[in-house]
Each structure stands twice: as structure tokens, then as C-alpha cells.
Amino acid sequence: MSKIILTGDRPTGNLHIGHYVGSIANRLALQEQGGFDKFYIMIADTQALTDNADNVDKVKNNIIQVAIDYLSAGISPDKVNIFIQSQVPELAEITMYFMNLVTLSRLQRNPTVKDEVKQRGFNSSIPVGFLCYPISQAADILAFGTTIVPVGEDQLPMLEQTREIARSFHNTYGKEIFPLPEAVLPDNKACHRLVGLDGNAKMSKSLNNCIYLKDEPEVVKQKVMSAYTDAGHIKVSDAGKVEGNVVFTYLDAFCKDEHFKKYLPEYANLDELKAHYRRGGLGDVKIKLFLNNILQEFLEPIRSRRKALEGDLDAIYTMLFENSKKARAVAAETLQKMKDAMGLDYQKFLKK
Ligand code: TRP
């Protein structure tokens, strides 16, 4: 069986370091491992519109931002097809046929959708398009014969629904045309979801607690210095808590032993630093400056690639449109297979 990878993001803002550890790093690893037949990353503008109907400009303008974030983080357009969801209209048609295979109560049970409905305060006025986005996501995945979907934990319900839809299609129309896709989660548990600077469970644009991949050095430093540590750690001599401490959480995600040699040679590794913090006698400023050094080193090459890319936006848009055309040809083939399986072949009524 071929190995086809597909994943995507909604273009509602720039990517931050939470996206990096939660998904980009995983994608870069898959890209470097190779051994796949196709690798798609879809910029999910149509899905973003399901809860931004009145905010088209935001979605439209963030397409290029997300593309630049991918490329500057190291996603290679030679290895990965980065395309725009709305530029593959076959996905909408596939969605339409899938809608007949899903019940309203099944959509209402999707735990990720439920959480999002709560977060967005939709209450009983949920846009139908929003409630149905798991069906459209199944179309995104199944249209390309995807076998592997690298995502965060919150997307597992979407994968489950996608497999259900594929099975239901197979049962209803008696032909197995879709491989059943599997999710791949990041290896490092600490990275499944990076906490925000304020200690909030999630780094998120709306909570204003993110470090963006594009942030300038001074901004990164100011954000790191403002990060939540331990409210009980007031004097340097106080014993401090490492668990729930944002600086240590980020160090868990970004710090390697070689950073100690370079920036903090009094310690051999993160365990020693944590032990000292727990004992007392280690101040927040010191651990924050250490984290700042690490993040600056990590973000600098990403930022400079971004600046180079920003000089030729046309080249990026051209790449996105060309890739969307290629993706479109694949989705059109799948749609034809679906119609064949369903017996939607009206042309046969023509006498000659
Ligand atoms: N739901 C994903 C998100 O919110 C975006 C997405 C759309 C996606 N279609 C997809 C992810 C297909 C993986 C596969 O980020």
C-alpha cells in the first residue's frame, strides 16, 4: 500500500512555538525520514471560514502567512505539496456526498466540536457549516487516499469520524475505494500541547499568550521575561516548583544538553537545573535568561528565512496555486471513483 501523508492548519493567524513543537517538528521529521509516496499540507481556508464567515479578510490574508511560516520553519516545497483547500473545489462535492452518510447526533457527539462550540459561545446558534466541518475534513483526508495524518490529540475524533465515513461509504456502495487513515501523534508527550506564557492550558492567539515564530528578538525576550513561573517562589532562596512552571515546560520542549555548555556551564543538564530550583537559591531571572538564549538561537534562522521569503510573495502564491492544481487532479480522480461506486453515471442515458 502506498504511504500518503496529509495534514493541515486553519489560516487564522501566524504559527507559534506551540504549533512548532506540537506539529511542525513532527512534519519536519516525517519529511526528513522520507519513504512516503505523497506528502500534502493543506491550508484549510474553507474550514477556517466555518466560524469566520464574517471575517473573510482575516482568513484570506493569513494563507500566505501560514505558508511563509511553514517554509521558514523548514518545510520543503520540493518534498511536500502545500496547497489551499478552497482551490480544490472537488473537496466540497465530496463533502456533499459524505453528508448523506452522517447523522446529526453523530456530529453533535464529536468532542472536539463540542469544546469548540463552547469556546466560541455558539450555544444553540451553531452554523451548520461549522457543525459539519468534520465531514469536510474527512473529504480532505479521503480525497487523497491518505494513510497517515500527523496531528495533535484534539484531532483524534476527526480521524475516527473519517474512518467511519469511509466504512459507511464502502458498506453503502459496495466498493472499497478508501484506505483507512491513521493518526500519528508527536512522540514527546510534553509537546502534545504547549502551555501559554501565562500558564494557561493552551498557547492560543485569542488568549494572547503566544511566542510567534516571527516575533522579533526584543519581543521574544520581553515575553519570556513575563512568563508565569511559580507564584510561591518570591525570594531567590525560596524553594520553587518545576511542575506547572512555564519556563521549565518550555525548557523541557526546547533545551538540549549542549545549551548548558554554551549558556549555563555551571549545570550539566536540565535535571541539575530543576533540582537547584526545587531546593531554592535559583532565581527566575536566571532561568528566564537561559530560556531566552535557547529560544533566540532556535528562532533566529526561522526569522531570517522568513525575511528572505517575504521579498517574493508572488513566488509563494505561484507555488500554492500550482500545487493546488496538482491536488485538484488527484481529488477529481477520487471523486470520479466515488461516482462510479455510487452509480452516478447519467451519461449512460444518452442514446448516442
Ligand atoms: N482541523 C484542523 C485544525 O483545526 C485543520 C485541518 C483541516 C486538517 N483539514 C485537515 C488537519 C485534514 C488534518 C487533516 O488545525
Side-chain angles (χ1 to χ4, degrees), residues 6-11 19 23 27 40 42-48 70 85 91 112 116 120 133-134 136-142 146 148-152 154-155 158-159 162 202:
L6 181 136
T7 187
D9 299 285
R10 297 178 196 173
H19 292 118
S23 65
R27 296 174 192 180
Y40 299 96
M42 188 186 75
I43 303 182
D45 59 334
T46 314
Q47 187 175 113
Y70 290 154
Q85 185 181 22
L91 295 175
T112 300
E116 289 172 325
R120 287 161 178 70
Y133 91 71
S136 133
Q137 188 157 336
D140 304 337
I141 295 170
L142 298 174
T146 306
I148 292 176
V149 187
V151 280
D154 62 329
Q155 296 296 303
M158 305 304 158
L159 261 287
T162 300
K202 197 181 171 188

Side-chain angles (χ1 to χ4, degrees), residues 13 19 22 53 56-57 95 105 136 160 180 185 187 203 230 236 255 257 261 291 297 323-324 335 352:
H19 292 118
V56 177
D57 279 349
T95 303
S105 63
S136 133
E160 200 180 307
L180 297 183
L185 299 176
D187 291 339
M203 189 170 273
D230 167 12
V236 172
C255 171
D257 288 356
K261 284 197 198 77
L291 174 64
E297 182 180 322
N323 282 341
S324 301
L335 178 59
K352 46 178 177 35

